[in-house]
Amino acid sequence: MSHFALKEPPRREDRLNACIAHGATLGEVAGGRQRCCLPASERSFTQNSICLLLPALGTMNSIPNSVVLMHGGLGCGSSCHGGNAAVRGGNMQRWGVVKDGTWLSTGLSEADVISGGEPKLAEAIVEADRRYRPAVIFVVSSCVPGIIGDDVDGVVEQTQPEVKAKLLPVHCEGFKTKIWATAYDAVYHAIGRTLLPETKAEIAPSKPGKTVNLMNMSSMGRVDELELERLLKALGLAVNIFPVFADPAGMQRMAEADLSISTCPTHDDYMLNHLKEKYQVPFILKHMPIGIDNTGKWLQDVAGFFGLGPEAKELIAQEEAELAAALKPLKSMFAGKKAFSSAGEFRALSTALLLAELGFEVVGIRAFHHDEFAEVEYEKLVRLTGQEYPLNIANCQPFEEANLLRKIQPDVFLGHMNGNSTAAKLGIPTHVIYNTGLHYVGYRGAYELARRLYRQLKNPRFNANLSRYTSLPYQESWYWQNPFKYIVTAGGDSE
């Protein structure tokens, strides 16, 4: 039975045997010798984590003509205030209009927890439809309704005839999983069940030649979309981008494409499998187009599907020659410099590959979780960089990061948005590994990242000064211990 027949998607721990706890060397994962990166592995001490509601909101708020209605406590979704900058910027880049996301809350009270929040949710859905007249309303279930047993899907089903907007129930109860990548499955699940046609025959053909779905589940900003569109159009392909900033009325076009292409397998596998099973749309789920070799492989796979191998070979040769000339004056700065990469699994690994291509020595990697899709990336890294440096699978856990960084002392640290403070307070030059306004993807992304790193390393004084006046909240004795001390394997052993 398809996962889309269920009301909510399964946890990634169950669907992919994903894990969040590992600490050893890169080679142990690449060689299949990992002991602790198993679904049952955990930490005997955990410092923090991220609720899966946060990454889900980033995608939902980007959908034009939509309302995100959070069913939960008033504080749920407060991250939207910060994330709204990306929504405003994304709308401006695509449509030339600065537009905010629209998010609401049922604001469940203590009385609602006791008596149930379903009546308040039904009332809120009707009011959101009356006030905003959106095309879709994402009805998001957070922790509280999950705990008290509110039937969110039942309320949606009963209320749908009363409103014009299509109602999409999205299950983001944060207590259900510690692998927040499940959030991407939750959003795709809602889109697939509600906005896609029942059968492919229901779609009026509109394809202008060979068409591809370019999947972007908040994997990149508009500047990176343009880079991939440029490369795909050079091969004669028409490109549709889903789901961020995609018109809900046009979502059904996902089912009529000739091919779906992932830009991040961590984000996209759930929907791409559904599109193939239900609508016979084949897909490519390999390589993230970050890095020189990865971008070439990504293009070759797409071209191979359409029988455009010679055209792709010529395009790649031309792009790589131009890039090599542009990188030449920058690479002398990177020789012998040690780099540490920290992000979602595919982005951390792909960026590490790019850093090695630029001439850095990769000395450490942290990934937010681990699953089967990244195994090929580990093999690439072993071949390119060796295998005896630390790999940490951690859903945050800055205490492990601080310990590793003190031991390794990299020359530069690349971490996610709001994830560079630990390294910065240690005086390590830092650069953001993901920002929707910056280039990272394709050949343009490789050059732009190199250019920014060149500038960062040329003048690293800010973080050096910062470390003089700030400190981290860890005792000196912690830095002498094994950074993976609190990781407990499935057999009950600590590292």
Side-chain angles (χ1 to χ4, degrees):
M1 181 177 69
S2 168
H3 295 311
F4 281 76
L6 306 172
K7 287 186 177 181
E8 59 185 284
R11 304 185 315 154
R12 289 206 170 194
E13 294 95 321
D14 302 325
R15 184 170 70 86
L16 298 173
N17 289 326
C19 81
I20 55 166
H22 177 73
T25 66
L26 178 76
E28 287 181 298
V29 168
R33 294 179 279 120
Q34 67 270 29
R35 293 190 301 110
C36 60
C37 200
L38 300 169
S41 300
E42 254 295 357
R43 287 175 172 81
S44 57
F45 167 76
T46 184
Q47 191 173 8
N48 62 353
S49 184
I50 292 178
C51 171
L52 78 160
L53 178 59
L54 272 65
L57 288 171
T59 298
M60 291 186 289
N61 279 323
S62 77
I63 305 300
N65 199 14
S66 73
V67 167
V68 177
L69 175 58
M70 285 167 277
H71 186 41
L74 197 57
C76 287
S78 58
S79 65
C80 289
H81 293 282
N84 193 48
V87 175
R88 289 167 62 87
N91 280 314
M92 181 63 188
Q93 289 174 320
R94 291 164 175 84
W95 327 119
V97 177
V98 176
K99 188 179 184 302
D100 296 296
T102 304
W103 65 92
L104 312 171
S105 173
T106 55
L108 295 180
S109 64
E110 292 181 359
D112 296 321
V113 171
I114 295 170
S115 59
E118 292 178 11
K120 181 175 279 190
L121 175 60
E123 182 181 351
I125 291 172
V126 173
E127 177 62 18
D129 183 72
R130 183 195 68 79
R131 183 176 300 189
Y132 297 100
R133 297 301 180 193
V136 300
I137 299 175
F138 292 99
V139 183
V140 185
S141 179
S142 62
C143 288
V144 173
I147 292 171
I148 65 177
D150 276 359
D151 183 5
V152 172
D153 293 85
V155 173
V156 164
E157 186 176 346
Q158 293 171 11
T159 312
Q160 181 65 80
E162 301 178 37
V163 298
K164 292 183 178 180
K166 289 189 176 181
L167 304 180
L168 281 68
V170 183
H171 289 271
C172 286
E173 298 90 346
F175 63 85
K176 288 187 174 180
T177 176
K178 294 180 181 179
I179 298 177
W180 62 78
T182 302
Y184 309 124
D185 302 346
V187 176
Y188 271 139
H189 192 82
I191 291 172
R193 282 169 58 89
T194 308
L195 297 181
L196 298 188
E198 276 300 313
T199 66
K200 195 165 186 173
E202 296 178 25
I203 308 170
S206 62
K207 296 188 297 181
K210 299 170 181 175
T211 306
V212 297
N213 294 326
L214 182 64
M215 310 307 291
N216 179 12
M217 176 61 86
S218 303
S219 311
M220 56 188 173
R222 181 56 180 161
V223 291
D224 280 338
E225 288 180 351
L226 290 172
E227 167 69 356
L228 295 185
E229 280 188 281
R230 178 183 72 84
L231 295 170
L232 293 171
K233 286 181 178 179
L235 296 175
L237 304 177
V239 181
N240 292 321
I241 299 174
F242 301 106
V244 298
F245 297 99
D247 183 355
M251 291 281 189
Q252 67 172 14
R253 288 185 290 120
M254 273 192 256
E256 66 169 340
D258 296 297
L259 178 70
S260 294
I261 315 168
S262 170
T263 54
C264 177
T266 294
H267 290 179
D268 301 324
D269 84 287
Y270 193 77
M271 177 58 90
L272 297 195
N273 277 290
H274 177 62
L275 291 173
K276 182 178 181 180
E277 290 173 3
K278 188 165 185 177
Y279 307 105
Q280 297 76 54
V281 179
F283 64 84
I284 294 175
L285 188 74
K286 204 176 178 181
H287 316 300
M288 190 172 191
I290 291 179
I292 303 167
D293 188 59
N294 261 359
T295 299
K297 285 183 167 66
W298 189 85
L299 279 172
Q300 287 170 340
D301 286 349
V302 176
F305 177 85
F306 291 104
L308 300 171
E311 291 87 342
K313 186 176 180 180
E314 181 179 347
L315 175 64
I316 291 166
Q318 178 183 337
E319 293 286 336
E320 289 186 354
E322 292 179 7
L323 178 59
L327 291 175
K328 188 174 181 179
L330 306 177
K331 293 181 75 171
S332 59
M333 175 68 76
F334 309 145
K337 295 289 195 303
K338 297 185 294 184
F340 194 111
S341 173
S342 174
E345 187 171 43
F346 248 90
R347 184 170 290 271
L349 298 173
S350 298
T351 302
L353 284 164
L354 173 55
L355 291 169
E357 290 173 328
L358 294 175
F360 286 94
E361 177 191 357
V362 178
V363 293
I365 295 174
R366 277 168 52 86
F368 295 154
H369 83 284
H370 172 66
D371 60 41
E372 64 191 57
F373 297 112
E375 289 174 3
V376 65
E377 300 300 299
Y378 288 109
E379 298 291 348
K380 291 178 193 174
L381 271 168
V382 166
R383 291 193 297 269
L384 187 62
T385 68
Q387 59 183 346
E388 296 308 320
Y389 53 86
L391 169 71
N392 186 201
I393 306 297
N395 55 340
C396 295
Q397 314 309 332
F399 74 102
E400 291 178 356
E401 178 181 271
N403 185 310
L404 278 171
L405 292 177
R406 267 281 291 268
K407 285 180 167 64
I408 295 170
Q409 289 294 309
D411 295 295
V412 65
F413 176 89
L414 283 81
H416 232 292
M417 292 181 294
N418 303 318
N420 284 334
S421 61
T422 298
K425 290 179 179 179
L426 290 170
I428 300 167
T430 58
H431 188 68
V432 65
I433 204 169
Y434 170 77
N435 182 308
T436 55
L438 299 177
H439 292 270
Y440 295 94
V441 164
Y443 300 109
R444 178 69 182 270
Y447 170 74
E448 292 292 343
L449 180 62
R451 186 177 65 86
R452 297 194 302 266
L453 289 174
Y454 180 90
R455 296 172 61 189
Q456 180 74 39
L457 290 170
K458 193 172 183 179
N459 183 11
R461 185 168 296 179
F462 175 78
N463 285 8
N465 288 338
L466 184 67
S467 68
R468 293 172 57 192
Y469 301 103
T470 59
S471 61
L472 294 170
Y474 311 115
Q475 295 182 3
E476 188 65 26
S477 60
W478 166 240
Y479 296 107
W480 292 94
Q481 297 184 52
N482 180 349
F484 311 129
K485 173 181 178 180
Y486 295 101
I487 293 177
V488 181
T489 68
D493 298 325
S494 295
E495 284 298 292

